[in-house]
Amino acid sequence: MLKGLMQDRPLLISSLLEHAASFHPDAEIVSRTSEGPLHRCTYADIHRRAKQVANALTALGVAAGDRIATLAWNGYRHMELYYGVSGMGAVLHTINPRLFPEQIEYIVNHAEDRILFFDLSFVPLVEALASKMTTVCGFVVMTERAHLPDCSIPGLLCYEDLLGAQASDYAWPRFDETTASSLCYTSGTTGNPKGVLYSHRSSVLHSWAACSVDGLAIGASETVLLVVPMFHVNAWGMPYAGAMSGARLVMPGPALDGRSVYELMRDEKVTLALGVPTVWLMLLQHVDSKGLKPKDELCLRRVVIGGSSAPRAMSERFETDFGAFVVHAWGMTEMSPLGTVCNLLPRHSGCTLEQRLSIQEKQGRAVYGVEMKIVDDEGVSLPHNGMASGHLLVRGPWIAGVYFRDEGSPTLDAEGFFDTGDVASIDADGYMQITDRAKDVIKSGGEWISSIALENAAIAHPAVAEAAVIGVAHAKWQERPLLIVVRKPGQDLTRASMLAFMTGRVATWWLPDDVVFVDELPHSATGKLQKMKLRKMFNDYRLPSA
Amino acid sequence: MLKGLMQDRPLLISSLLEHAASFHPDAEIVSRTSEGPLHRCTYADIHRRAKQVANALTALGVAAGDRIATLAWNGYRHMELYYGVSGMGAVLHTINPRLFPEQIEYIVNHAEDRILFFDLSFVPLVEALASKMTTVCGFVVMTERAHLPDCSIPGLLCYEDLLGAQASDYAWPRFDETTASSLCYTSGTTGNPKGVLYSHRSSVLHSWAACSVDGLAIGASETVLLVVPMFHVNAWGMPYAGAMSGARLVMPGPALDGRSVYELMRDEKVTLALGVPTVWLMLLQHVDSKGLKPKDELCLRRVVIGGSSAPRAMSERFETDFGAFVVHAWGMTEMSPLGTVCNLLPRHSGCTLEQRLSIQEKQGRAVYGVEMKIVDDEGVSLPHNGMASGHLLVRGPWIAGVYFRDEGSPTLDAEGFFDTGDVASIDADGYMQITDRAKDVIKSGGEWISSIALENAAIAHPAVAEAAVIGVAHAKWQERPLLIVVRKPGQDLTRASMLAFMTGRVATWWLPDDVVFVDELPHSATGKLQKMKLRKMFNDYRLPSA
């Protein structure tokens, strides 16, 4: 081959912050701190202090490739670590503090983390685990001397003392762009958590996708509220995309309740907010309980919802009460996470709100950089007609190829596509819609029934608090759906009235063969419904029809 | 170093078109053809036919790395060649037909082009040059059999026959992303033209910059008119950014006169148009001469102006008469070409039109991916304060490192920065403004005088048709400015009244030491003022003050 003659410049995370410090030095990062008050700084400040972080880590003996862990909320110090750690060639390992302590212990030891940085909120957690984190040789609490806790953590270091002792002169090293930059574990429903090891290249390419008009359209004119945590797939890449574009960033710290989020949106004139449906539910409840008028009080133009499906009613509420457009997005920890974004096309300009909400329910079109296909059980590609649904597979430069220090790898097909575990359809305009998790789909007589569609139909009943559908064995049909329902307190609901309610809302042959009522459903540490446990519980269940 | 564990996927130009065909199959490419009528097709069509191009070239014996030349206007067939040629691993060499024939001959032979594709307009040119293009073994006229010209070109092939004979089945090969994709020669003012050899990597990264909100914000909701030619730095990357985003593209073919461009804008509901000031002057003249109301008739929202400085009056006209915002951009053939874009920041929202136009006169902020600095004659970095001006240097993955098959390379400094040959200032917000070409700047007593600023002050006089300022030798001051003026027909203008007019418009010590009147100024084939020739002409000129 003939080689092109362009400059050989690696794509490094440090260059994102250098760009921001050169071309957006005064753009602000506003943080609600663990200590209490709001903190304001700029990209120029973050750049200076990230260099102090790199000098401090060097002084602590940290070398390229070492893993540096964080247990921290969204804030400027966490952002300094994002750039200081990765910029020097070490690996930032962000840990989800909502995991069970034994999972955190497993993850830290598996990653062989050398230093652990943590917010004041997590002092008790770190006290309990410190002696079990066998590779960690430095514990740094992210605060200044005045707030240093009285605790038993051995050799506790103070973040501000550590930085204060260092010069802000530091030349970011140049190295290969495929070098590891950061690490995030997925808490799968089976087996131990698995580590996804991102690279500088994948993080920079992913930022471009986030800053593109048809991606998340992050730009210098936005004030972006990061409700999505920085311990969750790098806050969907926002600390990187922010620096790439010079967007103003607002970090909520530990205060994710409806009132705190609302006031931060209002006081900081937030134009774009990103988060999972759970926090938006809390926000909407706060608005309702106080009778607030967000359309009059806020500058919110867009809300990006990911993590799990954005309910239609939520998109409608943001549209009508906030005057904000909900951008539905989909991705995974293994995907950095951006896969699809539900932006509209010119042809939708004449749609009614109802029509538009139906489009917004879909997970959206793949951003450039993510190749996507749906296949049947034999791996044969299915058409993009909005009807056919199959296993959703993806491929691209910011999608995991192998898990960190793990014998198992993501399931890649012969062409190198990663099986997401989701079942989806893709329509003629390229909009993808997830219909189920592959392991939850009910295979009845060779056809697939979506457990999610049945759950959505059941949950629409006013007496239902929560609902789950699993497939149970059936002699003739192989599997048939069983509906498991938690009633709302004091509500009376029978099998017959439940099924009557669902009739007409789903295809007749999809109707559950039985309904059982329980007091509660099993959930994971991060709040996900554990269908595997449910399947075990109902392993011997015999359907009346079977 | 520890390597990240993301998938190893090369960034290839073919993947841009595959993405468009999968996720924007029905988005349109509208072309005004050399044959006459408008032609409409989609990204799915372009994808199919680009594969036929690859098959046809393979059948002609073209191998990876071979150079395939085009002499063609903007249109769908040219776009098919963009993807078919680069996609198969060959190199698309776009030639500027406005060069002198001997320059075209030099370029084709220097590049060792194997096949030449050309539009009907260029049949006479190719007839004259065919026997001198020693490496070209195939001439393909881009039309169908019915329009095949009667000419003397040996073994002339017909584009549509060539494609029609081929299957549209073709698997794009996978290769290293640093492979050469395309070639464009710069016609420098000194020496022979030099070839810039782009890579797949540089082209894809550049597309992301073009699609980013703070870049050119190319998105699926735009209808983009490519007035900038596809033989000029890949039409500023639009054929690639279009596919990346699914934007609707409108190609004007050879008809770049004001009326044709206006009608295309109107009939195709163009929202964004890109081009050099010359074509916009023709457009504005057409609007004036016909008394048109573009604001009422067009959907134009933005005009990207590059190639040379966007005059303030032009930005104002587009704003007031078209309701369109002028995005001033700057780049070079060596830069793919995108370097800076003049988008506004939130702090400019309260500006008056006059204040805003002063910002829009600047070339704008660097897009992420372009590192930029200004240095003095000794290479020392100058501050970003909007006052200091110095040599403008750039570095990045879509900036040339070496010229193609040339002993000379771009001038790179010790840190690998390319000297653009421009002199510029950068303000505290990161906005860069070009003040002169380094070789044109007048060095007077250790200080720099901008020849461009003096020319702009002179041209503002109603009797001046064209003006140029050069430095001539001065015993005391080293150099002093000489103003050379072409008067408008029938206009009377004296040295004294010219200088009186300029007094107060520029610093007193900048005022030219003398004014001479000439009938015409020397220009290059592409219309650029040739100051080197002027300097030769006035080599022995003795200033009255010297």
Side-chain angles (χ1 to χ4, degrees), chain A residues 1-13 15-19 22-27 64-67 88-89 91 175-181 195-199 201-202 204-205 208-209 211-214 216-222 243-246 333-334 336 344-347 364-372 384 394-405 412 415-418 426-431, chain B residues 1-13 15-19 22-27 64-67 88-89 91 175-181 195-199 201-202 204-205 208-209 211-214 216-222 243-246 333-334 336 344-347 364-372 384 394-405 412 415-418 426-431:
Chain A
M1 305 299 280
L2 182 65
K3 237 175 110 81
L5 296 174
M6 296 284 111
Q7 295 181 9
D8 177 23
R9 303 294 311 167
L11 305 172
L12 299 181
I13 283 174
S15 72
L16 294 166
L17 191 55
E18 291 231 296
H19 175 78
S22 290
F23 292 94
H24 303 277
D26 299 332
D66 283 353
R67 272 77 69 198
M88 72 174 290
V91 177
F175 41 73
D176 193 280
E177 68 188 33
T178 60
T179 301
S181 62
V196 179
L197 190 65
Y198 307 106
S199 70
R201 173 181 165 91
S202 70
V204 171
L205 298 185
W208 259 313
C211 290
S212 69
V213 174
D214 293 298
L216 300 179
I218 308 299
S221 66
E222 301 280 0
M244 178 179 263
S245 67
T333 304
E334 286 90 339
S336 299
L344 299 178
L345 290 170
R347 69 174 64 182
R365 283 172 292 123
V367 294
Y368 169 78
V370 175
E371 296 175 80
M372 186 173 275
H384 293 193
V394 292
R395 188 170 71 174
W398 58 76
I399 295 168
V402 183
Y403 289 116
F404 183 51
R405 299 191 58 214
L412 301 187
E415 292 179 308
F417 278 82
F418 165 66
I426 301 177
D427 70 20
D429 286 331
Y431 287 80
Chain B
M1 307 299 280
L2 182 66
K3 239 177 108 81
L5 296 174
M6 296 284 110
Q7 295 182 9
D8 177 22
R9 302 295 311 167
L11 304 172
L12 299 180
I13 284 175
S15 72
L16 294 166
L17 192 54
E18 291 229 298
H19 174 78
S22 291
F23 291 95
H24 304 277
D26 298 332
D66 284 353
R67 273 76 69 198
M88 73 175 290
V91 177
F175 42 74
D176 191 279
E177 68 189 33
T178 62
T179 301
S181 63
V196 179
L197 192 64
Y198 308 105
S199 68
R201 172 180 166 95
S202 69
V204 170
L205 297 185
W208 260 313
C211 290
S212 68
V213 173
D214 293 297
L216 300 178
I218 309 298
S221 66
E222 302 281 1
M244 179 179 262
S245 66
T333 304
E334 286 89 341
S336 300
L344 300 178
L345 289 171
R347 69 174 64 181
R365 282 173 293 123
V367 294
Y368 169 77
V370 175
E371 294 174 81
M372 185 171 278
H384 293 194
V394 292
R395 187 170 71 174
W398 58 79
I399 295 170
V402 182
Y403 289 117
F404 183 50
R405 297 191 57 213
L412 301 187
E415 292 179 307
F417 277 82
F418 165 66
I426 302 177
D427 70 19
D429 287 331
Y431 286 81

Side-chain angles (χ1 to χ4, degrees), chain B residues 482-505:
Chain B
L482 169 67
L483 171 61
I484 306 156
V485 171
V486 180
R487 295 189 195 92
K488 282 189 185 159
Q491 293 286 336
D492 200 27
L493 181 68
T494 63
R495 176 184 185 280
S497 56
M498 183 77 252
L499 289 175
F501 177 81
M502 291 173 75
T503 304
R505 292 174 184 249

